[in-house]
Amino acid sequence: MEVYYKRMIEGTAIPAIIHNMEYYLISMPVFEDGSMDCWERINLKGLQNKLASNRLVTSIPEGKSINIHGLGTYTIHGARWQHTPKTYYKFVYENVRNMNHKMINLFNETSEQKQKWENHKVAWSTNANPYKVAGEIGYDVIDGSSTQVLYHSENEMILTALVIYEDGTFFLEETKSTHSLDEIEKMFSSGLLASKVSGIFTMVIPHLATLTVSADYQTSSYSKFKEIKDLAAKTTKTKTSLEICRESYYHYLTHPSEITRESLRKAYEAVPEHQRIYLGDMDSRDTDYIRIIYNPNDKREV
């Protein structure tokens, strides 16, 4: 009889830049066992290799762009970078040691384990979940989801995480404060939170850099807030706008009429603009939705 058990490995998240043709900023989970996830699971030795091969970098040349998922792509006009590869490795190492003072039971796959996953064509990702402890008694945790937003502080825009928990509360990493959805909406309305900034501006990435940037592409704050509402719905186990829209799409295909087409239009326009491409598959994206809603006389190619 084969058996297994699951355990929770705690960690923290720090910024990292993946260089894969372009430059991608990620929030890299770093765990108490020395493992981390930069589009694949690695350990501290793997981090050294990534830095040595320039797959993970600590700076980006001026004139190049940085991609931040869910926010936009920004051209860098000037920068003050906080780390070299050597100091960045030390920064990650110290994060691990703060969680695991004796640096014991560190993650290290054996050759047998590596061969096992290769045989089964498994590529590991940690799928890190934000969480908070529910109360003072016991260690029950409340899971969450997170997204990146810009926090307006004086003349700077600070990149920070907004965490949505299963109990419906929101936590803003920059201010260490808890909010309701209504309060988050008011922060966007006032400009305290944003995802779109005009012109050249200063972006602070804590623990990594202070950049002078301008946007090549940005998600509108209106669309970003709709994404946050969807993330809250998904986290609290209710239907997202994408799920509702797909249901309206299939309902129209089954019962085509002006009523069901109008219902589909409303559902489609409720989906955050930057996420509409995920309504279909990688090839079709949202093209058939657009055809039905805005060009109903065009026939679908089969």
Side-chain angles (χ1 to χ4, degrees):
M1 178 178 65
E2 296 178 336
V3 300
Y4 76 95
Y5 80 98
K6 294 182 179 180
R7 59 173 291 204
M8 183 174 75
I9 301 175
E10 297 179 70
T12 188
I14 63 173
I17 303 170
I18 294 176
H19 185 201
N20 183 18
M21 307 245 343
E22 298 182 28
Y23 296 94
Y24 300 90
L25 179 72
I26 65 167
S27 182
M28 183 172 73
V30 177
F31 297 96
E32 60 189 346
D33 67 350
S35 64
M36 60 207 76
D37 194 332
C38 53
W39 292 3
E40 64 175 310
R41 185 174 62 175
I42 60 172
N43 59 10
L44 287 165
K45 179 62 177 177
L47 175 63
Q48 287 182 318
N49 295 337
K50 291 282 187 184
L51 291 167
S53 64
N54 286 322
R55 301 297 286 177
L56 277 178
V57 297
T58 56
S59 64
I60 301 172
E62 290 185 18
K64 297 292 186 180
S65 295
I66 183 170
N67 295 270
I68 305 176
H69 180 70
L71 283 181
T73 304
Y74 306 86
T75 296
I76 297 173
H77 301 287
R80 296 196 307 273
W81 300 98
Q82 290 186 218
H83 291 291
T84 64
K86 184 176 180 179
T87 64
Y88 186 78
Y89 175 83
K90 183 178 179 181
F91 173 59
V92 176
Y93 183 91
E94 290 301 323
N95 269 272
V96 176
R97 192 165 69 172
N98 285 339
M99 296 180 284
N100 182 351
H101 300 301
K102 295 184 179 180
M103 298 295 282
I104 58 174
N105 299 323
L106 296 179
F107 168 70
N108 186 31
E109 280 188 328
T110 65
S111 57
E112 291 83 2
Q113 288 172 321
K114 290 179 181 178
Q115 189 61 53
K116 173 184 177 180
W117 304 130
E118 287 176 8
N119 291 343
H120 289 274
K121 296 180 173 57
V122 173
W124 279 105
S125 172
T126 60
N127 294 320
N129 289 324
Y131 76 93
K132 65 178 179 179
V133 179
E136 296 181 0
I137 299 176
Y139 204 72
D140 296 323
V141 300
I142 299 173
D143 286 344
S145 303
S146 68
T147 188
Q148 301 272 58
V149 295
L150 294 171
Y151 178 81
H152 193 180
S153 176
E154 297 182 353
N155 297 319
E156 301 175 334
M157 301 302 293
I158 302 173
L159 185 69
T160 188
L162 178 65
V163 186
I164 302 99
Y165 293 107
E166 287 179 335
D167 62 2
T169 58
F170 294 75
F171 179 77
L172 190 61
E173 180 68 26
E174 174 60 24
T175 58
K176 307 297 183 187
S177 54
T178 301
H179 302 276
S180 66
L181 181 61
D182 286 343
E183 289 171 334
I184 296 298
E185 184 175 21
K186 289 177 182 177
M187 288 181 181
F188 272 97
S189 297
S190 68
L192 186 60
L193 294 181
S195 63
K196 186 173 185 178
V197 183
S198 60
I200 296 176
F201 65 97
T202 300
M203 178 190 293
V204 177
I205 305 173
H207 308 298
L208 190 65
T210 298
L211 309 177
T212 303
V213 300
S214 61
D216 307 319
Y217 160 79
Q218 293 181 94
T219 299
S220 71
S221 293
Y222 173 72
S223 187
K224 184 66 181 182
F225 181 68
K226 288 202 292 185
E227 176 201 328
I228 289 168
K229 287 175 64 178
D230 261 356
L231 195 56
K234 183 177 181 180
T235 305
T236 57
K237 307 297 189 294
T238 56
K239 288 184 180 179
T240 67
S241 66
L242 280 83
E243 292 169 327
I244 292 169
C245 188
R246 291 190 190 104
E247 289 179 359
S248 296
Y249 173 70
Y250 293 123
H251 185 59
Y252 171 84
L253 294 180
T254 307
H255 305 285
S257 69
E258 285 302 309
I259 294 174
T260 55
R261 188 167 73 87
E262 176 62 12
S263 177
L264 175 59
R265 181 191 67 79
K266 291 179 180 178
Y268 176 79
E269 292 178 355
V271 175
E273 292 180 13
H274 61 292
Q275 293 193 325
R276 292 173 184 172
I277 60 172
Y278 303 121
L279 286 167
D281 58 32
M282 291 181 65
D283 296 320
S284 67
R285 300 191 174 188
D286 59 340
T287 55
D288 203 39
Y289 292 77
I290 294 171
R291 178 191 66 82
I292 292 168
I293 296 167
Y294 305 114
N295 304 291
N297 294 325
D298 291 352
K299 302 300 181 183
R300 181 172 62 172
E301 294 183 9
V302 179

